[in-house]
Structure formats: C-alpha cells, structure tokens
Amino acid sequence: MRRSRVLVHVLLALGALGMVAPFIWQFLTSLKTLHHATQVPPTLAPDWRWQNYAQIFDLIPFGQQFLNTVLMTGARAIGQVLFCSMAAYAFARLRFPGRTFIFGIFLSVLMVPPQLFIIPQYEIIARLGWLNSLPALIVPGLFSAFGTFLLRQFFLGLPVELDEAARLDGANPLRIWWSIMLPLARPGLVALGILTTIWSWNDFFWPLVVNNDPEKMTLSAGLASLQGQFMTDYPVLMAGSLLASLPVIAVFVVMQRQFVQGIAFTGTKG
Amino acid sequence: MSVSSQEAGAAVKAAAPARTSKSKGRRAEAAWGYALVAPTGIGLLVFYLWPVLQTAYLSFTKTGPFGGAAEWIGLENYREMFSDPEVGTALLNTVEYTVLGLVGVPIAVVFAALLSRPGLRGVAIYRTFFFLPVVTTPVAVAMIWKWLYNGDFGIINYLLSLVGIEGPHWIADPATALYAMVVVGIWMGLGYNLVIFIAGIQSIPKHYYEAASLDGAGPIAQFFRITVPLLSPTIFFISVISVIGSLQLFDLVYVLMGGSSQSSRANPAFPSTETIVYLFYAKAFQTNDKGYGAAIAMLLLVIIVVLTAVQFRLQKKWVTYA
C-alpha cells in the first residue's frame, strides 16, 4: 500500500514537472542575454537581465495592447454574464410560446464551428466602420449561446419557491431576475465570468483578423506580430509571452476553485 | 337545490374575471420572456445565425479583389476546392493531427485516476500545475515550445544530446513538425480534460471500489474494470470535444510556423503542418478570396458533422451508460 502511494506520487510529480518545466525554462531564458541564451551547452543561471521586459514596450505598444485586452475581456465578461443570465432566467422560469423552439435555435449555435461566422461578422464590422477599433473586439463577443445554456442549467437547479413567492408578491420578472435570481446564481455567474475572461484573453483568430493596427491589437496578436519581426531574439520573446499570459494565470490562481468547478460543470451537465 | 345552483352560478361569475386576469398575467409573462431573451437572441441572430446562412451563400460567389458585390458562380469554389492539392494536404494534416491528438485522452484518464486516489495529499497543487497550460495564452505557449524545439539552441535537443541522440529541427523538419505540434496540443489540453475526468470519477459510487478490493482486485484491475467503463460516457464526451477542437487547429500552426503567412511559407515544414483552418484564414483574410474561404468553412462544417456522427455511432460499441 505504501509503495503504491509512493509510485502514485512519483508519476504525478513527473507529470507535473512536464507541465511546469517549459514555464521555468521560459522564465530563465527571459532573464538571459541573447548571447547566453544561445550558448551550447546551455546554462541554467539567468543574467537577471530585466531590460528584456522593458524592451517589449519599445518593440510593440505593449501598454496599449494590454489595455485593449483588458477592456475587451472585461466588457465581454460583464456583457455575457448580464445578457446570458437574462435569457437563461427566461428559459428556465418563464412560460412563453416558442420557448423550446427558440432555445433549440440557441443550442444550434453551439454546434457550429466559429469559422462559419467569421467572414460575415467581419463584413458587418467592416460595414459599420469598426475595423481597428475597440467595438470590433467587443461586440460580437457580448452574446453567447454557451453562456445562456450554462446559466439555464444552473437556474434549473435552484429552488423555485423563492421566485414563486416574489411573483405572488407582485414583483415583475425583471425585478425577480435582478434581486433574487442573480444573488442565488452567484457561483454560476462567477464560473461564466471566469471562463469568459480566460477565453477572451486568449482569443486569437478574431482579434488578429479585425484589428491589424498595432495600437488597436490585443496582446495575443501583438505578441504574434513580434515574433514575425524579431524572430530570433528568444529572451525578449520569452519575456513578452510571460508578461502577456501572467494576468490570466494570476486570475486562475486566485479563483482556481470557482474556475475548476465551472469547467467540471460544463463537462458533467453539458 | 336552487340555492346551491345559485351559489354555483355566482362562483362561475366570480371566476370569469379571474380567468381573464390570469390570461392577462400569462400574456405579461410571455412578454417578459421575449424581452429578457431579446438581447442575446438578437445578438445571436445578427452575429451568429444570419452569418451561417451568409457563409453558405458566399461559398457560391466570388468577390473581386477590392470587395464590391459578390458574383454568383455556382459550384465553382467547390470544384476548385476538390481539385486543389493544398486543400487535400491540409485536410490530411488536420485529420492526422486530430487522430494523434486523441492520445491525450487516455493520458488524462490515467492522471485523473491517480489524482482521485483516496487520501492522496497535494491534489490541489498537482491540479494547479496541470492546469497552467490551459490558462496560458496559446500564442505564448506556442512561443515557449518554439524555443524548446529550436534545432540549434533548444533545450530538448540538448537533453537528447546528453544521451547521444542528435535531435532533428523539430518544427522546421517536415518529418517531425506535425508530431511536434501534436505534443504541444496534448500538453495544452491535458489539464482541461483532467478536471472533467476527475469530476466524472468522483461521481462513481465508492462502494464499487470497496466491493472490488474485498474481491481482491488490485488498483490496476479496478482502473480497467471499474473506472474506465463507468467513466466511458465522460471519455466519449471528451473525445468528441477533442476531435472538434483539433479539427479547428489554428493558433499553434500560425505561431510555430512563423507568424505572418509569408514567413510561414518560408518554413520547409509548412506544407506538412498547414491545417484546414489555417488555409481558411489564408484564403479568406490574406488573399481576400471570401467566397473560397466560405467554401472551405462549409467543408469544415461537413467534416465536423460527419466525424461527430461517426463517433456517436461507434459509442454504442464501447460506452456503457449505467
């Protein structure tokens, strides 16, 4: 029994090492001079060259791109939590003709790969004159069939007594949604918020396509453009990629429990 | 008798206005329902549902190089697509990547089973480590691996040289580039699958394991006889998700192969890694041939539908629903 427990830990530790080692190497490289980074045999010790991080800000408008990414991510997360929870509440609790049909249409959006939306979405954005702007990054991401589905499942799991009582007291559905359902559904809203945050932050295809002005890019696209031009300066690339992924890693570490629950929820209920 | 019928009549009279107010309430409820669904409903209609139809229409048209009205050309894009060797190669690469990527599923099951051992310490720490790549920006992940895979200065080839192996130029070598990408893809997705499998294993009743160990079944026998069969619906779900995701591979190709499409095509390994979605991107947004891009997107939809249907067919053979 004890031997098998040790074996389990050895296997898990090897797996965990395989997961973390690339990040450690990224960090060590990000603090080396180009000369040291490309030395054979490689050395472990960094040169503590923090200038590599400063250099990112000279090569691309990193601060601006960071801000763009924050605004895109924040707006999408707030928008989705708000709009999806409204629709989800209606689907879970209100009776109206065509409810099943409309919900079925929502679900059908989930089945379609995003490549089938992207060209016309691009054309809509272009026609509105929104290319290379913040709305281009945000607006299509405000609406989510997935989020509606997730929260509907969540609302269905909540007891009906509270909102029934409020309805008997004459509260209208908007009020019930806002002051009863939202507080009750907090874990679900947080899960959707975190999932949307992480997916939006890491979104690449759409921002790459709509905004090609470096001042309007998100970090993913900015980072990718960096490697096109300065393909060989790996320490700087490692510094940039670390900086770009750090915020969302921080969100994950802080809110890990809710995040993992959200993922598990999509897997078991989806 | 007459009194009671009078009473009944009064009761009916009293009920009548109640019924209309009830139907009024129902109408109000319906109005609220539509109003609350409207923001997401209209957004999905404009940005998702209508675009699907639009893409289908576009796939029968050709747009001039400077935009303007699309011209109807019937099946021309599809004819071109089926005779285009680049489409064939991209399709094969994508399918190969997708099939090999499924190796990640059993790996995740094994780690999930290890992490679900009763009384194990440090589960949260392990889980955090496995999850890091999931939350890291794919572009950043691709860059890290590009550096690890570097043929001249990469740490992987250095470690291999310590045991006397001369490593290839992984992502610049047509013989290895696709496999190198599969490894990164599995590495990135492992934590996500792991979390879902752990949730699945937790829902397996404990007494199955207790009964099995009373019967003298060891941990490995328990894994194959209890965990895997009872987890098979989740394994099926993850396999479907994994196939759909792999078929849409783009970020890794874009970054590992060198960023902009000019520098990508300079990489000798590019033809062996180009995927269907990369081709979609190149046609729709770089050569600006939206009609042809739309046809490729339609092809992708068909492939996804067919492969998912095949998986649902096959599941009857191996998935057990308790």
Side-chain angles (χ1 to χ4, degrees):
Chain A
M1 201 61 207
R2 175 174 287 178
R3 232 184 42 207
S4 87
R5 185 158 294 171
V6 170
L7 184 67
V8 167
H9 275 294
V10 168
L11 289 172
L12 286 173
L14 280 176
L17 183 67
M19 293 289 129
V20 183
F23 292 109
I24 295 174
W25 193 241
Q26 172 196 29
F27 178 67
L28 292 176
T29 303
S30 76
L31 289 170
K32 288 178 185 172
T33 60
L34 180 60
H35 176 73
H36 270 154
T38 52
Q39 220 168 33
V40 183
T43 49
L44 265 180
D47 310 307
W48 305 109
R49 208 182 129 82
W50 296 101
Q51 297 98 296
N52 288 336
Y53 286 83
Q55 213 182 325
I56 289 292
F57 289 82
D58 300 333
L59 293 174
I60 50 173
F62 191 90
Q64 182 62 44
Q65 293 179 353
F66 186 88
L67 185 68
N68 296 341
T69 315
V70 168
L71 291 173
M72 171 180 88
T73 302
R76 282 191 192 179
I78 293 169
Q80 278 195 25
V81 165
L82 218 57
F83 292 150
C84 291
S85 70
M86 283 165 89
Y89 164 63
F91 282 127
R93 288 289 202 267
L94 301 178
R95 272 158 304 177
F96 50 93
R99 184 175 75 169
T100 318
F101 175 72
I102 299 173
F103 187 64
I105 289 182
F106 271 51
L107 284 190
S108 72
V109 175
L110 273 179
M111 317 279 170
V112 181
Q115 291 76 22
L116 274 95
F117 317 131
I118 284 176
I119 296 175
Q121 279 181 348
Y122 177 88
E123 310 234 291
I124 295 173
I125 296 295
R127 211 164 301 159
L128 290 168
W130 285 355
L131 291 178
N132 279 315
S133 77
L134 210 50
L137 297 175
I138 294 171
V139 173
L142 292 176
F143 316 103
S144 165
F146 167 80
T148 308
F149 177 70
L150 182 81
L151 292 182
R152 173 185 172 268
Q153 298 301 97
F154 203 88
F155 285 143
L156 286 177
L158 295 176
V160 289
E161 287 79 16
L162 278 170
D163 54 306
E164 297 262 276
R167 213 191 294 191
L168 288 177
D169 284 347
N172 69 44
L174 189 68
R175 220 193 137 76
I176 298 175
W177 163 73
W178 179 258
S179 45
I180 295 179
M181 295 310 266
L182 289 192
L184 279 179
R186 225 177 132 153
L189 304 179
V190 170
L192 177 62
I194 298 175
L195 288 173
T196 309
T197 299
I198 291 186
W199 288 338
S200 292
W201 190 278
N202 295 340
D203 192 7
F204 181 55
F205 197 113
W206 177 251
L208 175 75
V209 163
V210 284
N211 288 5
N212 52 28
D213 172 356
E215 290 288 332
K216 304 291 179 186
M217 279 181 184
T218 57
L219 282 177
S220 277
L223 207 55
S225 76
L226 189 68
Q227 76 138 15
Q229 304 159 40
F230 312 95
M231 209 139 63
T232 44
D233 199 340
Y234 276 101
V236 173
L237 285 177
M238 290 304 107
S241 54
L242 189 68
L243 271 188
S245 35
L246 218 50
V248 81
I249 290 179
V251 168
F252 164 66
V253 170
V254 173
M255 313 208 65
Q256 193 183 158
R257 202 167 47 87
Q258 291 92 331
F259 183 67
V260 166
Q261 276 169 356
I263 293 268
F265 188 76
T266 64
T268 48
K269 301 279 160 46
Chain B
M1 192 62 193
S2 73
V3 171
S4 75
S5 83
Q6 248 179 349
E7 267 175 9
V12 168
K13 257 186 212 148
R19 198 176 301 152
T20 52
S21 92
K22 198 174 180 191
S23 85
K24 207 190 251 172
R26 200 164 279 178
R27 224 175 304 149
E29 183 178 336
W32 276 113
Y34 295 127
L36 289 171
V37 168
T40 304
I42 293 170
L44 290 180
L45 194 69
V46 171
F47 284 104
Y48 296 85
L49 290 162
W50 178 245
V52 174
L53 301 177
Q54 192 72 15
T55 298
Y57 168 76
L58 275 175
S59 72
F60 298 107
T61 65
K62 188 161 193 69
T63 329
F66 304 107
E71 181 196 345
W72 181 271
I73 54 165
L75 288 171
E76 201 44 53
N77 285 326
Y78 289 92
R79 218 168 284 148
E80 191 184 335
M81 195 167 72
F82 287 118
S83 59
D84 186 345
E86 201 176 355
V87 173
T89 321
L91 210 55
L92 277 180
N93 291 339
T94 308
V95 169
E96 198 180 344
Y97 176 87
T98 302
V99 171
L100 292 174
L102 282 173
V103 172
V105 178
I107 296 178
V109 174
V110 169
F111 278 115
L114 291 174
L115 277 170
S116 306
R117 302 275 296 159
L120 187 84
R121 280 166 187 232
V123 174
I125 297 170
Y126 286 127
R127 200 180 55 193
T128 310
F129 285 156
F130 278 96
F131 220 84
L132 275 182
V134 180
V135 293
T136 306
T137 315
V139 172
V141 166
M143 264 182 202
I144 297 170
W145 279 88
K146 198 171 180 178
W147 172 228
L148 298 176
Y149 277 140
N150 188 295
D152 300 315
F153 317 114
I155 187 81
I156 292 177
N157 276 0
Y158 171 70
L159 293 175
L160 286 176
S161 76
L162 293 182
V163 287
I165 300 171
E166 196 187 328
H169 276 71
W170 302 102
I171 53 167
D173 184 339
T176 51
L178 188 75
Y179 305 108
M181 247 164 45
V182 170
V183 169
V184 184
I186 292 175
W187 183 81
M188 271 173 87
L190 194 59
Y192 178 86
N193 298 347
L194 190 73
V195 164
I196 293 182
F197 283 137
I198 291 175
I201 291 175
Q202 274 165 358
S203 66
I204 298 175
K206 294 280 167 294
H207 63 256
Y208 287 160
Y209 291 103
E210 286 154 14
S213 53
L214 282 180
D215 287 346
I220 291 174
Q222 288 181 20
F223 174 75
F224 283 109
R225 304 250 174 89
I226 301 173
T227 308
V228 171
L230 288 175
L231 200 59
S232 60
T234 314
I235 297 175
F236 172 67
F237 168 77
I238 290 293
S239 305
V240 172
I241 297 277
S242 155
V243 164
I244 293 176
S246 293
L247 290 172
Q248 297 173 31
L249 180 72
F250 172 75
D251 304 10
L252 283 185
V253 190
Y254 187 94
V255 180
L256 283 177
M257 288 300 121
S260 70
S261 89
Q262 292 91 319
S263 47
S264 288
R265 280 166 210 280
N267 184 330
F270 177 72
S272 69
T273 56
E274 181 175 29
T275 58
I276 216 66
V277 174
Y278 190 93
L279 192 62
F280 163 78
Y281 164 77
K283 294 295 180 192
F285 294 102
Q286 301 216 296
T287 23
N288 225 353
D289 192 348
K290 298 274 191 289
Y292 196 46
I296 296 175
M298 294 305 286
L299 175 69
L300 178 70
L301 176 68
V302 171
I303 295 170
I304 288 181
V305 168
V306 168
L307 285 187
T308 307
V310 168
Q311 282 182 291
F312 269 88
R313 263 294 163 80
L314 289 176
Q315 73 159 325
K316 288 179 192 137
K317 298 219 160 92
W318 65 275
V319 178
T320 44
Y321 290 98

